[in-house]
Amino acid sequence: MKFILILIFVPYSHLAHPQNKTIDSLQHLLHTQKEDTNKVNTLNKLCVAENNNANYSIGLQYGRDALSISEKMNFKKGKASAYYNLACSYGGQNDQLEARKNYSKALELYEAVNDKQGVAESKLWIGHTFTVLEENYSLALKNYYEALKLFEELNDDENLASAYQFIGGTWFSYGNLQEASKFFIATLKVSMRMHDSARIAQAYISISGVYTAQENYTKAIEYLIFGKRLFEAMRHRGPIWGVPFCYTTIGNIYERQGDSAGATGNRELAKNKYTGALNNYFTGLKFWKEINARGDAWSYTSIGNINIKLGNLSIAKSFLEKGLQLSAELSDKEGLNYSYGSLSHLDSMLGNYRQAYEHYKMYILYRDSLVNEENKKKMLQSAMQYHFDKKQDSIKAAQDKKDIITAAEIKDQKLFRNFSFAGIFLIVSFGSYSFYRYRRRRKLQSQQEMLNERLRISRELHDDIGSTLGSISIYSEVAKNRSQKNENADEAISKIGVASRELIDKMSDIVWSINPDNESFEQLQNRMQSFAAMMLTPRDVQNDFIVDEHLKSIPLTTEERKNIFLIFKEAIHNIVKYAECSKVEIRLLAENDNLEMYIKDDGKGFDVNEFRPDGESLGGNGLKNMKARADDIKAFLNIQSERNKGTTIQLTFKT
């Protein structure tokens, strides 16, 4: 239930309550003021108040008025606040691209007036836009950590809690549950220091999300109950979604436990868990209906699904249809996708195959629509850059054309013209023949490249993915056998989780390497920088990444690009695991038609004399694989290291 899970990673704001009295007072004051700094401040306060009332369109108007007066007066601090508040309004309307533009303008002005608080808050929310708009976790974390450092200097506990929450949520989304848990616990500690019940409750919910992902359902429910009790104690002083959210999420966990019990053949336990899920879904539904929130549609569908699992098919149908109706009224695509998928499954069980097919078509339609929307968000930034470049190229082409016409008029001589015609004829003839030969050669080359690529992917899927899936299958059988014997299957299940994450990582590398959008060296550089930042920044390892500009235009084949990245990735993994360093220097240079990659750390190093130069004893599969990948692309790999003097890895590849 994506809607439910998203809520636990959005920081709670104390100001998220109606402020009608404040707005009335500010509006009265506004009518008595002249166009000066006081009026700008009043307009900015009104923008904040309307945003907190979720009246974002009204907030936008107040923010624009504040910006207009500030620009006339060149009141930088007023402009900075106006841009920041406008960004909040756009964010409330889920226009994250406009929000980022305005946060960036606010950041520039806050830096100009040396306002650390404004700088920190702008960086925090710029990071949030990278998470929501593009799922660019490396850039999100960069901004979050910079904001976190400033909040620590300012002793700003409230924003510290938000920063910890954002960082934890980002690591959770990335799948790093250990880092996520660390920051959610930090959120909890700061919130307790502030005696902020709402933030404490939300921290409990976030920690529960980690336990749920780890399938430690007992702990997950325990923390959800902690959060629910706090929300109930706050009554109308806390976020209105708190209590129903907890009930619904507890229901979801009971449903997961029922699915697990059913998979192992324990029908009685599965029935008990499904009944517990049903009770919590009904209680959650009661609260969702009171606050008129989107959760009631999801609750109806969840109740319908539980009744399918309990065999109450006629009851299930009525709840699923109600969930579908509410999702349609709210234009909730995710809810519609959820409802249509459930109805298709129910119709199949009832033998209504024609209706099941129609519902399945609608399920696919909304699923594809959601995927397309996600892809559009990721392509939006690229499209903006493309249109800018296209406009610049158009201007340049117009100027070039004008220059050619002027040159032709000056050189209007008969002899030159005759020779030109003859030359043009020869050039066109030769060019046509050359183009034909080129097209034919490229076609054959493309066919061969496609065949080679298919063979490479087939080999990788067979070797890497096949072996990993084989291990998952074996561990699954082990877990099944142990469960049937009432033995502890945690170890086998844990190994399945590790193998699954390795499989995802390998598939990600394969998909990235064959994506035609990643053919340039610049795309390779961006992926390397993101990976280095993701691995080194959380461990307080300084990362200096230096790239020769001349490399950005060089072409690389899919095989070359993949092997260079995997050698780099293995080197960074080894640094994180073994080096115990504080600084890593990465250099990508163009030297004598060669690509030179240097990765140098100041860690504890090792004795390279222990390893033979043939690469057969390079201390583990990691270094052996690096040597093998270098050989595949005819590159030279050199590893230099001394104990307590760090390690330098040099890859030399002829471009």
Side-chain angles (χ1 to χ4, degrees):
M1 297 176 66
K2 186 175 180 182
F3 159 66
I4 296 298
L5 291 175
I6 283 173
L7 286 176
I8 66 176
F9 304 116
V10 179
Y12 168 72
S13 169
H14 285 289
L15 302 176
H17 306 288
Q19 299 184 5
N20 296 325
K21 291 182 179 179
T22 301
I23 291 172
D24 291 341
S25 175
L26 289 170
Q27 285 176 338
H28 177 74
L29 179 62
L30 185 68
H31 293 308
T32 65
Q33 292 176 321
K34 299 178 181 179
E35 288 199 353
D36 55 14
T37 57
N38 290 327
K39 188 167 187 175
V40 171
N41 293 333
T42 301
L43 287 165
N44 276 322
K45 289 176 183 177
L46 278 165
C47 180
V48 172
E50 292 292 358
N51 286 342
N52 291 327
N53 272 359
N55 297 325
Y56 301 114
S57 58
I58 300 174
L60 277 173
Q61 189 55 56
Y62 282 126
R64 288 168 182 155
D65 290 344
L67 180 61
S68 175
I69 298 173
S70 297
E71 285 178 334
K72 291 177 185 177
M73 301 169 55
N74 195 26
F75 178 26
K76 288 186 178 180
K77 192 166 184 179
K79 284 167 64 176
S81 297
Y83 277 125
Y84 182 88
N85 295 332
L86 284 169
C88 295
S89 299
Y90 284 119
Q93 294 177 333
N94 205 28
D95 188 346
Q96 299 298 334
L97 190 60
E98 281 299 320
R100 184 190 301 167
K101 288 179 184 177
N102 284 274
Y103 281 131
S104 298
K105 291 175 181 177
L107 174 61
E108 185 178 345
L109 287 164
Y110 281 133
E111 288 175 335
V113 298
N114 196 28
D115 185 337
K116 275 191 178 182
Q117 185 73 37
V119 169
E121 291 183 16
S122 298
K123 283 181 178 289
L124 179 71
W125 289 97
I126 288 171
H128 182 66
T129 65
F130 279 113
T131 300
V132 177
L133 184 62
E134 299 154 341
E135 296 183 1
N136 189 332
Y137 300 134
S138 59
L139 282 177
L141 285 171
K142 177 180 180 295
N143 282 279
Y144 290 154
Y145 280 114
E146 289 174 358
L148 179 63
K149 184 178 179 181
L150 289 170
F151 289 137
E152 287 173 341
E153 292 174 5
L154 294 164
N155 293 317
D156 182 351
D157 279 350
E158 185 171 342
N159 278 306
L160 260 181
S162 296
Y164 285 139
Q165 183 81 6
F166 273 150
I167 294 171
T170 304
W171 283 120
F172 184 94
S173 300
Y174 192 76
N176 190 330
L177 300 181
Q178 184 177 357
E179 286 296 308
S181 179
K182 181 175 78 174
F183 281 98
F184 288 148
I185 290 171
T187 306
L188 179 61
K189 289 180 179 177
V190 175
S191 302
M192 286 181 168
R193 190 164 68 219
M194 293 190 295
H195 305 288
D196 186 334
S197 298
R199 287 186 186 273
I200 293 170
Q202 191 170 3
Y204 282 142
I205 289 172
S206 301
I207 295 169
S208 167
V210 174
Y211 280 122
T212 301
Q214 294 172 334
E215 298 185 2
N216 187 342
Y217 298 129
T218 302
K219 278 287 186 183
I221 291 175
E222 179 183 335
Y223 275 89
L224 277 167
I225 291 173
F226 289 159
K228 179 176 73 69
R229 287 172 179 169
L230 281 172
F231 284 134
E232 288 171 340
M234 285 184 286
R235 297 182 181 273
H236 300 296
R237 293 181 293 107
I240 58 175
W241 52 262
V243 173
F245 166 77
C246 290
Y247 277 112
T248 307
T249 309
I250 292 171
N252 182 254
I253 293 174
Y254 275 125
E255 184 175 354
R256 289 175 181 229
Q257 291 178 308
D259 292 341
S260 298
T264 59
N266 193 336
R267 294 183 179 179
E268 187 64 29
L269 178 60
K271 183 178 179 181
N272 290 338
K273 294 296 182 181
Y274 288 145
T275 302
L278 197 62
N279 292 335
N280 279 278
Y281 281 145
F282 269 117
T283 306
L285 175 61
K286 182 185 75 171
F287 284 104
W288 285 123
K289 290 170 72 174
E290 288 177 4
I291 63 176
N292 193 28
R294 178 180 168 196
D296 58 351
W298 287 75
S299 295
Y300 276 113
T301 307
S302 297
I303 291 169
N305 276 325
I306 290 293
N307 276 290
I308 291 175
K309 294 172 182 179
L310 289 170
N312 305 323
L313 302 188
S314 59
I315 296 173
K317 189 173 183 64
S318 65
F319 278 100
L320 291 179
E321 288 176 344
K322 182 64 174 177
L324 178 66
Q325 176 190 344
L326 290 173
S327 295
E329 291 173 1
L330 293 165
S331 300
D332 177 7
K333 291 183 179 180
E334 289 174 325
L336 287 166
N337 174 249
Y338 183 32
S339 298
Y340 277 122
S342 302
L343 280 167
S344 175
H345 176 57
L346 175 62
D347 288 326
S348 296
M349 294 179 68
L350 292 170
N352 301 329
Y353 299 114
R354 182 182 296 277
Q355 189 62 44
Y357 175 66
E358 294 300 322
H359 283 145
Y360 183 74
K361 285 197 299 183
M362 296 301 294
Y363 163 76
I364 295 297
L365 175 68
Y366 281 103
R367 185 199 67 183
D368 291 346
S369 175
L370 291 168
V371 170
N372 290 336
E373 286 180 5
E374 190 67 22
N375 291 336
K376 283 179 183 177
K377 288 197 296 185
K378 294 179 180 178
M379 293 170 62
L380 193 54
Q381 288 287 65
S382 298
M384 291 179 64
Q385 184 63 43
Y386 167 78
H387 288 303
F388 175 80
D389 293 341
K390 186 176 179 181
K391 183 177 180 180
Q392 294 300 108
D393 290 342
S394 176
I395 293 171
K396 185 177 183 299
Q399 184 60 43
D400 290 345
K401 184 177 180 180
K402 184 177 179 180
D403 293 342
I404 292 170
I405 294 171
T406 302
E409 290 174 350
I410 294 173
K411 298 178 180 180
D412 189 17
Q413 298 177 3
K414 184 177 180 180
L415 183 62
F416 177 82
R417 185 172 62 248
N418 291 339
F419 275 110
S420 296
F421 287 150
I424 290 170
F425 176 79
L426 290 173
I427 290 170
V428 170
S429 300
F430 180 74
S432 299
Y433 178 72
S434 299
F435 183 71
Y436 165 76
R437 291 290 304 274
Y438 171 78
R439 284 286 300 275
R440 187 168 180 271
R441 186 169 67 253
R442 283 296 297 163
K443 183 177 180 182
L444 293 173
Q445 184 180 348
S446 297
Q447 290 173 345
Q448 185 60 43
E449 288 176 353
M450 184 178 294
L451 178 60
N452 292 340
E453 185 64 15
R454 286 177 177 174
L455 290 172
R456 182 184 70 79
I457 295 171
S458 175
R459 184 172 65 250
E460 290 193 0
L461 290 174
H462 179 271
D463 295 344
D464 293 341
I465 309 305
S467 64
T468 307
L469 287 173
S471 68
I472 291 174
S473 176
I474 292 169
Y475 291 138
S476 299
E477 287 298 321
V478 172
K480 180 180 177 182
N481 291 335
R482 289 184 177 179
S483 296
Q484 290 173 347
K485 296 176 181 178
N486 292 325
E487 296 178 356
N488 191 344
D490 288 350
E491 181 182 358
I493 294 172
S494 176
K495 288 182 178 179
I496 291 172
V498 171
S500 300
R501 287 189 288 275
E502 289 178 356
L503 181 61
I504 292 169
D505 197 31
K506 290 175 182 176
M507 287 298 296
S508 174
D509 288 338
I510 292 174
V511 171
W512 176 82
S513 68
I514 64 176
N515 188 340
D517 292 336
N518 297 326
E519 289 182 351
S520 70
F521 181 84
E522 192 166 3
Q523 292 292 336
L524 173 61
Q525 173 196 332
N526 291 340
R527 186 167 173 85
M528 292 167 76
Q529 285 179 306
S530 295
F531 182 78
M534 181 189 72
M535 295 297 293
L536 300 174
T537 301
R539 294 166 176 83
D540 294 326
V541 178
Q542 183 180 343
N543 167 21
D544 293 337
F545 205 108
I546 302 169
V547 181
D548 192 330
E549 289 294 323
H550 294 96
L551 292 174
K552 293 190 177 180
S553 60
I554 69 167
L556 292 171
T557 66
T558 300
E559 190 70 12
E560 292 164 351
R561 187 172 67 251
K562 182 198 75 169
N563 281 300
I564 291 171
F565 175 70
L566 290 178
I567 291 170
F568 171 83
K569 185 177 179 181
E570 187 64 45
I572 298 299
H573 270 303
N574 287 341
I575 288 171
V576 170
K577 287 181 181 178
Y578 309 116
E580 297 180 10
C581 62
S582 61
K583 181 178 179 181
V584 175
E585 181 179 344
I586 302 164
R587 289 185 291 163
L588 299 173
L589 307 174
E591 299 283 352
N592 301 323
D593 295 329
N594 290 333
L595 163 62
E596 299 278 356
M597 178 170 73
Y598 296 89
I599 305 172
K600 181 179 180 181
D601 67 68
D602 61 356
K604 64 182 183 181
F606 59 91
D607 187 356
V608 294
N609 294 323
E610 294 178 6
F611 310 123
R612 299 201 305 267
D614 60 6
E616 292 300 321
S617 302
L618 281 174
N621 291 329
L623 296 178
K624 287 180 183 178
N625 289 339
M626 291 168 67
K627 179 69 167 58
R629 292 190 184 281
D631 291 341
D632 285 347
I633 58 174
K634 297 180 175 58
F636 173 72
L637 181 70
N638 181 31
I639 301 175
Q640 297 179 352
S641 183
E642 291 184 45
R643 294 195 182 279
N644 301 317
K645 292 187 178 180
T647 302
T648 299
I649 297 175
Q650 176 187 357
L651 179 75
T652 303
F653 170 69
K654 186 171 180 61
T655 60

